[in-house]
Amino acid sequence: MSTTVEFCQFALRERIAPPAIGSVKQRIVYAARKTGWSQSRTRDIWYADPRVSIKADQLIQIEALSGLAYARQEVRKNDDAIARATALLGGEDAHLVRSIIAAVRSALGIRNRA
């Protein structure tokens, strides 16, 4: 199960349609009304059906309804990781890459050959 589906499942169960609403069936119906999704779609996410996938707009909707922040935080982390990797691989910080390789070689007992 993906972490996105787990997040949406948690948001539906705990924030959008909490236990105080009533039975699980009532909660699923309530969550379906709040999200505007079909009851079957809501039920699939409620039970984290492995075949379900969450679209970006649905994730943003879940965030807005639940008050939780998942997607923006994950996108920010991914963008930061991509930027760091691009900087290392793109040669923007070639000295750092050479330093890391030299340190690894030194730790492994491999001498630099000129």
Side-chain angles (χ1 to χ4, degrees), residues 4-107:
T4 306
V5 175
E6 285 179 19
F7 169 80
C8 290
Q9 179 188 39
F10 172 80
L12 284 176
R13 289 180 170 195
E14 302 300 322
R15 296 293 182 103
I16 296 171
I21 290 174
S23 70
V24 171
K25 183 176 181 178
Q26 290 172 322
R27 292 167 64 197
I28 291 172
V29 169
Y30 182 83
R33 285 189 192 133
K34 291 283 280 187
T35 58
W37 302 341
S38 69
Q39 287 183 24
S40 63
R41 171 86 174 144
T42 306
R43 185 175 42 254
D44 288 347
I45 294 171
W46 185 275
Y47 290 111
D49 186 319
R51 298 170 294 181
V52 77
S53 64
I54 308 295
K55 296 181 178 101
D57 60 329
Q58 293 171 331
L59 185 56
I60 292 167
Q61 181 183 17
I62 289 286
E63 282 185 327
L65 290 171
S66 68
L68 300 172
Y70 172 80
R72 287 184 294 269
Q73 186 178 19
E74 287 297 311
V75 167
R76 204 172 302 118
K77 281 196 294 188
N78 290 341
D79 287 345
D80 290 346
I82 290 169
R84 286 192 306 273
T86 301
L88 289 173
L89 296 175
E92 291 178 23
D93 201 355
H95 178 69
L96 177 63
V97 174
R98 284 193 296 271
S99 298
I100 291 171
I101 292 172
V104 169
R105 286 180 161 200
S106 175

